[in-house]
Structure formats: C-alpha cells, structure tokens
Amino acid sequence: MDTEYFAKLELNKILATAAGFASTEGGKNSVINRCPSADIDEVRRRLLLTREGDKLLYTYGISRIEQFGETGDILPRAQKHSVLSCAELLTVGRLLRAAREVYTSVSKINDDQIKLVRAVTDRLYFDRGLEDDIFEKIINDDSLSDRASDKLYSIRSKIKSLNERIREKLAEYISGKNAEFLQDSIVTIRNDRYVIPVKAEHKSHIKGFVHDRSKTGATFFIEPEYVLELNNELIALTIDEKEEVEAILRALSLRVGTLSTELQQDVEILSELDGIFAVAEFGYSQKCTEPKVNDRGHINIIKGRHPLIEKDKVVPVSLELGLNYNFLLLSGANTGGKTVTLKMCGLFCLMAACGLFIPAAEGSSVAVFDNIFCDIGDSQSIEESLSTFSSHIENIIKICKKVSKNSLVLIDELGGGTNPDEGQALAKAVVKRLLDMGCRGIVTTHFTPLKEFAYTVDGIENASMEFDAATLKPLYTIKIGLPGASNALAIARRLGMDEQILTAATGYLSESARNFENVVRRAEESRVQAEFKLAEAERIKKEWQSKVEEANKLTDNLNREREKIARMARSESRRIINERTEKAEQILLEIEEIFKKQNLSQSDLIRARTLKNRIEDAAYVEESGIKKQNDGFVPATENNIKSGVEVFIIPMDTRGEIVSFNRVKGEAEVRCGDIKMHLKLKDLQVTGEKQKSETKVKIVKNIPADRPVLEINLLGLTVGEALYEVDNFIDKAVTDNLAEIKIIHGVGTGKLKSAIWEHLKRHKNVAEYRSGKYGEGETGVTFVKLK
C-alpha cells in the first residue's frame, strides 16, 4: 500500500492512541509500526489475534505484560562474557518473570478458541531458577543481599564487627584525656579510613597518620596509630567484599549470556503480545466490534463512529458500497458530515487491515484493498508554487495512474476550486474513468450536473447527507438513492446574511439549477416527514404491545392467585370436615358406651340426649352456613345436569363446571380449576335455579372406621398448604396408632422438601425421618417414624 495516504486518513493517530495502552516500549513500537496488509488471510489472522487478546483480558481476566525495562545491549554484552551490573541483572530477572507469568496465565486457560496467542506464548523461554537467584541475591539496582553467598555473608559480618570495634576505640579516645586536643567530639572518614578532627596547634600531641586538613587549616584529620592496624584490616575486608560481589555478578552474567538468544526472542515475543493486548484494550475502550472482512470490495458500515471524535458528540453513520454499485456520489449541505464519512470509510478499512476492531455495530464488514487512495482537504503548497486546484489535480492524476480493480478511491469535492463548468466536466470524466477501472470509491460534490450524471451511468449511486429544512441543521445520516441539496442560501440566511443579497443571489441562479434544487429539497422534506411519521407509528405500536403484554401478565397473575385461593379453600374445607367428623365419631362412641350398659339409669339417658343435641347443634350450624352460601341453588338431578352447567360442589364448598354425565353410574365429571373429578349427584347443586328445601341431618349410630392412610401426596401445594396438610396427616396417623408414614413431595427445586424436613425436626410426634431409598421414590419422598 502507498503509505503517503495513511496520514490523510489519520491512521497514524489511531495507532498512536492504541499504542498508549501498551505496557512496554517494545509493545508500543509494535503497534505504532503496524502497516496495513493487503493479504486477506493475514488480515483475518491479525483480527483473530485481537479477538483472542480481548477474550483473554476481558473474559478470563489475565494480567497485562509486566514492565521489564529496556534490555538495550544487555544481552549482547552478556553473550560476550561482560559482567552485568545489579540493575541490568534485575532487568533480566523481570524479563524472565514476565515471560513465565504470561506463559502460565495463557497455558492454564482451557479454551480451544485460544489458538494463535497460545502458539505465540508456547515459544516463550523462562528459567525459574535463574529468576529466583537474581531476585534473591540482588536487593536493588546498586547492591547485593548479604545472603548472596556464604562467603559474602562472612565478609560483611566481619566488616560490621570491625567497624564497631574501631568506633568504640575512637569513642574512648574522644572521651578520654585527649578530648581537649580535638576540634569536635566526632569520628569521621577520610580515604575510606576512620579519623578524628584534631586542632592544628595540638596535632603533635596525637600520634598517627595525617589524612587531610580543613580548608581553613584549623583542623587536621588524623588516624591514631592504635587504630591503624584495624583500619588496614577493614580495607582488606572491603577489597575481599568487592571481589566476592564481582564474582557473584560474573556468575549470574555468565548464566544470562548462555541464554541471551532465548531471552532476546522473549523480548520480541513479549513485545508482540503486549501489542496484541494494547490493540484489544483500545477496541474495548472505544466499544469497537470485530468487522467481517472480504476481498470482493464490499463495505457495509453499520452505525459507524469516527474514533477521533468524542463519543458523546459524534452521530453514528451507516453506508454500504460494493454490491449493487461500486461508487457513491455523496452530496448535501456544508458541515453535514460528508468529509468525516469519507475519511471514516477509508480509516475503517485501514484499521481492519492492521488488525484493529472498528467503532461500529455488530455485523459491519469492510473490504481488504491493494491500495487506498484519497484526495481530501486543502493541499495548497507554497514551496512548490501549487494552488489548491493544481495540487488536487496532481493528486488525481497520480490516483488515475496507480488505481486498480482492487483499490478504494476517496475524493472530496472533485473538480472544486476552479470554473464550475470546467470543474463539473472534469469531475464527470474522472468518475467515468474510475468506474471503467472497476474500483470502489466515494466522491463528494456540490455540482448539480454531476448529481444528474450519477442517474445516467451504471455503477454509481447518488447519496445524500440528511438536512433538516425546518431547523436548517444537518442530521449526519446518509440516504442512498437521492442527491442532497447544498442549501447554501438557506444556511446563509440562518447565519444572518442580508435578505436583499439572498434575493439577488436567487435571481442569479439558472432556471435549471433552481428547478433541480427545488425538486431535491421537496423530495428530501417529504422523505423526512414520512420517516418521522413511520417512526411515530412504530413508537405507538410498541407502546400498545407493551400495554397488551402487561395486561396479559396481570391476567396470568390473577388466575394464579385465584387458583391459590381455591386450593386453600379446598384444604380448609377438608380440615373442617375431618375435624367435625372426628368430633361426631367421638360423641357417637360415647353414646355407644352408654347403651352398652345393662341397666340404663336416668342420668345415662340424659347424658345420651345431651350428646345427641350436640351433634344436632353442630349440624344446624353447618346447615345454616350452607344455606347462607347456597341460597338459590337446587339439587342436581339427571334432568338438569348437562355439559357446561355450573354447579356447587358441596363437600369442597366451591364451584365447578360439568364436563360430562354418566347416567349408568350416576356420576358427573366436574372440572374445578385445573382439576377434574367424578362426583355423585348428591354432592352437587345446580346454581341456575332457586329452590327452598330443608336439609335433614341423619345421625348414624355406627360409623365404619376408615382404613388408615399410610401416605400423603403434597405435589402442587405451596409450602404453607403443605405444612398444614402434614400436621393434620401426622395427627391422624398418631390417632390411628401408625408407626411409620410416607410423605410425597417430589424433587423440584428442593424448597418444599427443605421446609418439610425443617418442620419435622421440631414436631413433637416425630421420632426420626429419612429420604426414600432406591425403589422407594428416593429424594422425592420422606419416610417418617412416629413416637
């Protein structure tokens, strides 16, 4: 590709911005120096690397490349057996650690889609032993740890001890009888030896070696003779220390030198990975998406945003090119976004060719071109004595010579800057030449004849940047198929130009120009109004759809609530019936016991009559309640029962609907909510007719005992309903002297089972409980042993 056009499309600014996300200098350089590729396979590989980098960073959360500093000539010098400094060895250690950490981070991710980055990290070399030795032995850029070697530790221990001995000796001297000869009561160092400051007039009183004198000559720095040997020993130990430090650094440097080739490769690989992650992070920060790429010249940008314009100010633009037409002739008002759209189209193709995602909606696609040519902006050159028009023409000539079928051409204001008649004629000829070459491109213009030309030639399509005629403001959206009016006079009027000048200008327009502009303007206004009405209709449609969904949801909630209330009513009715039945049985048993006596006394008869009255009173109360609720209902008969008739179910104290009637069995199938049941006619009342009747309660002396029930089914009940049923069932089981019962609750979410187990844990009549075994229902049932 011709690199001279990259700067005009501002690719260099995009790469510099992306490079700012890199951690290392090598990574920054790898991004800044990226060059768009014309090979579609290479472009797809680059985009795939960016996709994998994005996934590693923002799905798996791996860390970025650790900064390890500039290696410069460190590795080549180590290869030549030079001794590296502490700072240089620490740089190598950080390089080894960065290689190890990124390799470990990527290798532990189990994702078959991470292929290319894994192939890059697999080439990394690291030596954990050398890395640990460097960081354990070197504590900063200037010094080694005392524990770098046993010998160094021994030497430094001796130095420390000797320093203390010398200071103690000199401290005794300073505080003794010779203190009067000293300038200050301090110990200092000259030429790496401990000395004391002595007054010049008393230097003869101190036996020792003179090392220095103050600038005023008032003080001599003397090394007393009795610490001379100690200082000599200290100097010898210091020399031993330097030799041992150098030996340690030499050993580490030799190890680095043997690995210099592998480490230099690590630098290159980590720079490449850092560049991949930087590009991925740039795409994430700009909310970019991965574009589809093709080599057919097809461009389809959906809601694209120029990345150098602030997100809150840019208006997304959509355009398509290369399927039904190869060229777009883009027209419309000034400041309408034509040039930005032109540059955005070329920039997106270059970004994708560099492996960068583009700031556009999902599904956008760009083409891979051999070359992207552009002529944008004012190219006037004072040095070459070229006018704006001449500079444009030279660029157009160069483009026409180099263009090929697989090129993208972007020209802003083709033919501008000269006589309009000649300019539009030249523009037609250039466009025709580019069309004949079969390339793709976008041309912006204000020439009316060129807009008309686009209607008569195949391969080019008019397009316009939308303009609101009411507010005289650009809308920054593209409409394919219609040219745009320049609206120069309208914009001048909005900016405050004198009306007389505008009237005169209108008179100077040719009749054909006025007619064309008027037609275009009216068509544009009609289209904008139609789209506004369509958008309003869609908004109303969505609003009503939302209301209908809300109403349906409310209806569903009401139906569920009604079913819940019905289940609770049925449960309560069963509880009342069982309770009153038990009371009646108990009373009848007491009456039976009375009548079993051989000789009945008057008091026995009175007690039996009292018990009988209690049953009648309970029946009366129940009968009164039924009458109160069922006033107007008539008993069900074979004549008034038919499908669809609403009936009142007496045992359940609720309503239902007749589904069918079996005359042979005398049973009706009744639907009650979601439940169907078979009931006798005596248990039903038809709600459509009114009939007064007296209900008689028949007292039976002997009520046959029911067969004990060993299990209960709670499927479909809420937690509250289920716990109520469990309590009644356990009480009945205790009354029937049962040892073990079975509760069926199902598996489901486990919420019902947990609530039942928690309740059983605190129940006074429960000894223990367990889940079912294999073949017993397993976790869907609970077996309970009673006390």
Side-chain angles (χ1 to χ4, degrees), residues 561 563-573 718 721:
E561 191 66 23
E563 290 297 325
K564 179 181 178 181
I565 293 172
R567 286 196 301 270
M568 292 178 66
R570 291 195 295 272
S571 176
E572 181 65 14
S573 65
T718 63
E721 296 171 356

Side-chain angles (χ1 to χ4, degrees), residues 428 431-432 435-436 452-461:
K428 289 180 184 178
V431 171
K432 186 66 170 64
L435 286 171
D436 292 341
E452 296 172 344
F453 174 75
Y455 281 120
T456 62
V457 179
D458 293 334
I460 186 170
E461 185 69 59

Side-chain angles (χ1 to χ4, degrees), residues 41 86 107 119 129 135 146 160 256 275 294 307 360 371 389 440 466 498-499 573 619 658 684 717 720 743:
D41 292 331
C86 292
S107 61
F135 287 115
D146 293 346
K160 182 179 179 182
V256 172
N294 63 84
N371 257 311
F389 177 74
R440 309 298 194 271
E466 282 195 278
D498 189 275
E499 193 64 35
S573 65
I658 299 297
L684 302 175
L717 300 184
I743 299 174

Side-chain angles (χ1 to χ4, degrees), residues 158-172 192-194 223-238:
K158 291 178 181 178
I159 290 174
K160 182 179 179 182
S161 175
L162 194 56
N163 277 322
E164 292 175 355
R165 286 172 58 195
I166 293 173
R167 285 183 176 276
E168 288 175 0
K169 286 285 186 184
L170 292 175
E172 292 175 3
D192 296 329
R193 303 176 77 89
Y194 284 99
E223 178 185 2
E225 61 180 6
Y226 64 86
V227 297
L228 184 64
E229 289 301 323
L230 293 176
N231 271 331
N232 289 340
E233 186 180 350
L234 181 62
I235 294 298
L237 286 173
T238 303

Side-chain angles (χ1 to χ4, degrees), residues 753-771:
K753 177 183 176 181
S754 299
I756 291 173
W757 279 40
E758 190 64 27
H759 188 66
L760 293 176
K761 187 189 299 182
R762 299 188 298 268
H763 202 286
K764 62 180 181 179
N765 292 324
V766 173
E768 60 183 51
Y769 52 92
R770 64 175 176 84
S771 293

